[in-house]
Amino acid sequence: MIKPLLLSLLVTAVIAVPQSGNCRCRPEDSCWPSQKEWSALNNTIHGNLVAVRPVASVCHQAEYDAKACSTITGLWSDSAWRSSQPGAAQWENWEAWPERNQSCYVGSPQNAVCGQGRISLYSVKAHSASDIQQAVRFASAHNLRLVIKNTGHDFLGRSTAPESLQILTHGMTDVQIVDDFVPKRSVKSEGPAVTIAAGVQLPQMYAAVAKHNRTVIGGSSHTVGIRHILQITHG
Ligand SMILES: *[C@@H]1O[C@H](CO)[C@@H](O)[C@H](O)[C@H]1NC(C)=O
Ligand SMILES: *[C@@H]1O[C@H](CO)[C@@H](O)[C@H](O)[C@H]1NC(C)=O
Ligand SMILES: *[C@@H]1O[C@H](CO)[C@@H](O)[C@H](O)[C@H]1NC(C)=O
C-alpha cells in the first residue's frame, strides 16, 4: 500500500474558469478540439503534449503488453513513480469514475475494459512558464476542464478530473539558492532563501540546499511538491 503521508501541503488545484453556468466542453461535443487543433497546441509546447491513458492500460485487452504490465505491477504502490506519471493519481481511488463504472486496475482481469475514469485525456508536460501559458490559453479558448498535477499529492483528488487537460509540472525542477534574498519592491534582505520551480519535490530541495550547507524546514513526505520562496538556515 502507499504509505500514509505525513504532510498535506496541497500543491495542486483545479483552475476554475467561471462560465456562468455553462458546462465544460466534452469529447463528444462539437466544441471539442480537432486533431489539428491538438497538434497546433503540441507545436507550441515543443511536442510535449501526450494523449494519456491510465497507467494500468497495458494490462488490459488490446493494449495488453506482458512486459510493460509486469513493470507497472511492480511500481503500482510506488508513490514517487505515481507522482511522475500523467496517467496515475497518488491514490488509485481518484483514477476511477464510479458514476460511469470506469476504472483501470492492475489487479483486474486482462479481459476487463480499461476505463479512462478520472484520468485526464491529454497532458502538457510543462518545462517552462510558456508551456503553462499555452495550455491555459488552449483550455480557455476551448472551454476545457483544466487540472494541474504537480505531484498528485492531494487527498481530495484535485490533480485529476474526468475528460480534462492536465498540466504536469513534474519536469520543472529548477532550484535557485541565494544568500541574500531581497523581495521585489523591498530594500531589506531577508537572508538566505531558495526559489524552486513548480515540480520540485521535498527530497530534491533538501539535497540541493544541503550542497550549500543549508537546511530548509519543510515536511517529511517524499512526494510533496513544495511551493513558496523558503527561508533557509545554515546547516
Ligand atoms: C506531440 O508531438 C510529439 C513530437 O512530434 C509526438 O511524439 C507526440 O505524439 C505528439 N502528441 C500528440 C498528442 O499527438
Ligand atoms: C461495470 O464494469 C464491470 C467491468 O467491466 C462490469 O463487469 C459490470 O457489469 C459493469 N457494471 C455496470 C453497472 O455497468
Ligand atoms: C560545507 O561544510 C563542509 C564541512 O564544514 C565544508 O567542507 C564545505 O566546504 C562546505 N561547503 C560549502 C559549499 O560551503
Side-chain angles (χ1 to χ4, degrees):
M1 287 304 294
I2 296 159
K3 276 199 293 183
L5 298 160
L6 299 170
L7 185 76
S8 64
L9 287 176
L10 301 182
V11 290
T12 51
V14 175
I15 292 185
V17 189
Q19 286 279 327
S20 59
N22 287 351
C23 292
R24 294 275 173 255
C25 186
R26 306 182 55 192
E28 64 269 28
D29 296 338
S30 60
C31 52
W32 190 254
S34 64
Q35 281 305 323
K36 215 174 136 194
E37 287 167 321
W38 285 112
S39 289
L41 169 64
N42 202 6
N43 289 339
T44 65
I45 57 167
H46 317 287
N48 285 313
L49 182 72
V50 289
V52 186
R53 283 289 283 148
V55 281
S57 64
V58 291
C59 298
H60 299 287
Q61 298 210 332
E63 292 163 274
Y64 183 77
D65 174 334
K67 193 156 173 262
C69 179
S70 157
T71 305
I72 299 298
T73 305
L75 289 166
W76 189 250
S77 299
D78 182 332
S79 54
W81 173 77
R82 283 182 165 272
S83 74
S84 69
Q85 299 299 306
Q90 194 61 223
W91 290 282
E92 65 187 52
N93 61 305
W94 291 119
E95 295 172 7
W97 193 6
E99 296 84 349
R100 296 289 165 89
N101 195 23
Q102 288 180 17
S103 61
C104 187
Y105 298 117
V106 281
S108 58
Q110 190 185 323
N111 65 5
V113 174
C114 170
Q116 189 77 14
R118 294 171 54 89
I119 295 293
S120 299
L121 291 168
Y122 287 92
S123 176
V124 168
K125 294 175 111 176
H127 291 284
S128 65
S130 156
D131 290 348
I132 293 173
Q133 288 166 343
Q134 295 296 348
V136 172
R137 282 188 197 122
F138 189 84
S140 170
H142 296 279
N143 189 26
L144 304 180
R145 192 173 292 180
L146 181 65
V147 293
I148 300 165
K149 176 172 172 168
N150 148 309
T151 65
H153 188 113
D154 185 290
F155 290 101
L156 302 177
R158 289 170 297 182
S159 44
T160 191
E163 304 175 330
S164 59
L165 169 63
Q166 174 192 78
I167 296 174
L168 182 69
T169 67
H170 185 78
M172 299 175 71
T173 55
D174 191 41
V175 177
Q176 283 174 31
I177 297 159
V178 290
D179 290 329
D180 207 10
F181 179 70
V182 182
K184 266 188 190 155
R185 290 187 285 278
S186 170
V187 287
K188 186 174 158 281
S189 168
E190 299 290 338
V194 58
T195 306
I196 54 174
V200 173
Q201 294 177 332
L202 286 169
Q204 293 169 305
M205 182 185 63
Y206 291 149
V209 299
K211 277 195 203 145
H212 294 256
N213 288 344
R214 305 265 192 211
T215 304
V216 177
I217 308 301
S220 61
S221 168
H222 63 175
T223 58
V224 167
I226 193 157
R227 61 180 174 183
H228 308 303
I229 293 163
L230 295 151
Q231 271 201 284
I232 54 184
T233 56
H234 291 270

